[in-house]
Amino acid sequence: MINHIRALRKARQLTQAELAEQMGVSRNTINSIEMGRYIPSLPLALALARFFGRPVEEVFDDQSR
């Protein structure tokens, strides 16, 4: 699964630590999501999408098309 978290975070000029604090997770979690090593839970994926004001399908792509 690919995601656009890094690009969205950088567009808002946020560090991984700042985004992690907003989401209530560790910086390592954000790093792992950005690197594609961790697929977030549905509640976290939805929270990230809401935070960036995007549909979850724009933030995360399962590449199954």
Side-chain angles (χ1 to χ4, degrees), residues 5-39:
I5 298 298
R6 178 172 291 169
L8 292 166
R9 176 179 60 77
K10 287 188 174 196
R12 289 217 181 162
Q13 300 181 343
L14 295 169
T15 66
Q16 288 180 341
E18 290 167 336
L19 179 56
E21 184 177 333
Q22 290 291 318
M23 295 295 107
V25 298
S26 70
R27 187 205 57 81
N28 190 48
T29 297
I30 298 299
N31 180 266
S32 293
I33 292 169
E34 288 184 357
M35 299 298 291
R37 293 188 306 246
Y38 176 72
I39 298 172

Side-chain angles (χ1 to χ4, degrees), residues 25-64:
V25 298
S26 70
R27 187 205 57 81
N28 190 48
T29 297
I30 298 299
N31 180 266
S32 293
I33 292 169
E34 288 184 357
M35 299 298 291
R37 293 188 306 246
Y38 176 72
I39 298 172
S41 65
L42 181 56
L44 179 53
L46 291 171
L48 284 162
R50 276 193 298 270
F51 180 81
F52 290 114
R54 304 286 177 97
V56 73
E57 297 86 359
E58 280 185 24
V59 179
F60 297 94
D61 185 353
D62 67 4
Q63 301 176 333
S64 65

